Amino acid sequence: MTETDYSDNAGGPTTSEEHRAAGHWLLAKMGKRVLRPGGIELTRRLLGALGIGTGDRVVELGPGIGRTAQLVLDGSYARYIGVDPNADARQQIAKVLTGHHDAAVEEGDARANGLPDGCADVVISEAMLTMQSAADKSKIAHEVFRTLTPGGRWGMHELSLKPDDVDQSVVDQVSKALSRTIKVGARPLTTKAWTQLVTEAGFEVEWTGHNPMKLVDPTRIIADEGLRGALRFFNNVRRNPQARQRIMAMRRVFHANRDHLEAVALVARKPVSTEAAPTETDPKLE
Ligand SMILES: C[S@@+](CC[C@H](N)C(=O)[O-])C[C@H]1O[C@@H](n2cnc3c(N)ncnc32)[C@H](O)[C@@H]1O
């Protein structure tokens, strides 16, 4: 991400940045704070299923600008650490964490997060794995396993393909169309393949939820951002023709592929007894 302005007046003059920016950063620049496919409603259900309590040490991978962090900090928890490689995102999330002495953000990469073994009771990741290659998805799943204490749980929220037996040619075509539009490699999996990814890393899936993929639909934007936030977003987009063009193109691609796209959330638990943790493999899930 280059010089990104997340301010309320981000609609400003058109720049070539609007051409190049990854879709989620473009949306963030226009004032969107919820950057995951199932919206804040699916995040709330995921957090409900995770049941974070006063004793839980929470790690969030790829927290972006911190909307989920805000929800975690509003509830009970023992400690929160956000890990994101992006400096602008870290600056944004630091604002959300201000005043919370039990919360911090660190520079890091989910593939090798640098945190001690078993240091977390809960790991959260949303809209982060979809953009990773098959090998990196597997690496991250094993890294989350290492980071969690036995019995700990991983809550993830990602883009998913349907049905589970969707033809590989459709997977390739949808991934290509998405990547071209959002300008970042998008490699969603079916719910079955997401489940396989985490079970191959040693987890047991305890809960699964779905929502329609409506990231840039007006009704979802209002639901996610509230009326004021949505009006600010619509106004910023209206004032920025290049951003508008790109966001409309994203909406068209999401709409054209709606029969195959949805959002999925999973809660996966690291078993209490993990004598022989599985070794990392490349599951070739794409
Ligand atoms: C689409 S945004 C989602 C942000 C936020 N989780 C949300 O759902 O609103 C993806 C986030 O993942 C982060 N990210 C990308 N690659 C990552 C990696 N290898 N390790 C950790 N975070 C990563 C990005 O910097 C960004 O903050």
Side-chain angles (χ1 to χ4, degrees):
M1 179 167 62
T2 55
E3 292 299 300
T4 306
D5 174 8
Y6 296 98
S7 75
D8 287 355
N9 294 318
T14 295
T15 71
S16 61
E17 190 192 322
E18 275 74 36
H19 275 316
R20 294 192 311 264
H24 52 281
W25 293 134
L26 180 68
L27 295 174
K29 184 179 179 185
M30 294 298 114
K32 189 149 177 28
R33 299 188 54 75
V34 176
L35 305 173
R36 73 296 307 254
I40 204 72
E41 197 271 334
L42 188 56
T43 297
R44 286 187 197 280
R45 279 197 274 147
L46 175 65
L47 292 179
L50 280 168
I52 302 172
T54 46
D56 285 326
R57 299 157 298 165
V58 180
V59 168
E60 186 178 7
L61 302 170
I65 57 180
R67 188 63 185 91
T68 295
Q70 210 164 41
L71 294 177
V72 172
L73 299 187
D74 286 347
S76 309
Y77 64 98
R79 192 188 68 201
Y80 171 94
I81 298 176
V83 177
D84 203 297
N86 187 285
D88 287 350
R90 290 198 303 279
Q91 226 173 41
Q92 289 302 310
I93 199 176
K95 290 183 200 161
V96 174
L97 306 186
T98 304
H100 293 271
H101 302 296
D102 43 15
V105 59
E106 294 182 2
E107 178 176 2
D109 189 315
R111 291 170 295 185
N113 63 41
L115 298 170
D117 292 0
C119 70
D121 301 287
V122 173
V123 170
I124 300 170
S125 61
E126 294 179 286
M128 187 273 292
L129 279 173
T130 297
M131 61 175 76
Q132 314 293 334
S133 68
D136 285 344
K137 283 184 176 83
S138 173
K139 198 174 273 180
I140 291 170
H142 285 84
E143 184 67 347
V144 172
F145 193 89
R146 181 193 68 73
T147 307
L148 280 169
T149 192
R153 57 265 191 231
W154 179 15
M156 69 151 83
H157 174 171
E158 294 292 339
L159 190 56
S160 133
L161 290 167
K162 58 180 182 176
D164 275 339
D165 61 354
V166 64
D167 201 81
Q168 187 59 40
S169 63
V170 174
V171 175
D172 295 342
Q173 175 250 312
V174 174
S175 302
K176 213 167 161 178
L178 290 174
S179 303
R180 199 181 310 123
T181 318
I182 64 175
K183 302 200 189 237
V184 71
R187 305 169 188 94
L189 304 178
T190 60
T191 296
K192 187 177 171 193
W194 284 120
T195 303
Q196 193 184 332
L197 174 84
V198 302
T199 50
E200 282 180 2
F203 289 94
E204 289 162 3
V205 172
E206 288 192 339
W207 177 88
T208 308
H210 291 97
N211 248 6
M213 158 56 175
K214 292 193 169 178
L215 183 66
V216 288
D217 278 23
T219 48
R220 173 67 68 73
I221 293 171
I222 294 168
D224 279 353
E225 312 299 333
L227 194 55
R228 250 180 92 193
L231 287 174
R232 193 169 56 224
F233 174 80
F234 295 139
N235 197 32
N236 286 337
V237 174
R238 188 178 54 76
R239 290 164 52 212
N240 190 323
Q242 284 185 337
R244 184 170 188 277
Q245 212 173 38
R246 281 210 50 208
I247 292 167
M248 291 309 285
M250 283 162 65
R251 189 181 294 166
R252 277 194 299 276
V253 168
F254 296 156
H255 190 73
N257 293 287
R258 65 191 179 283
D259 289 347
H260 293 297
L261 287 176
E262 65 182 344
V264 64
L266 300 179
V267 172
R269 190 178 291 274
K270 175 173 176 169
V272 175
S273 162
T274 58
E275 298 127 24
T279 52
E280 192 185 314
T281 53
D282 178 353
K284 300 271 185 296
L285 286 167
E286 285 180 307

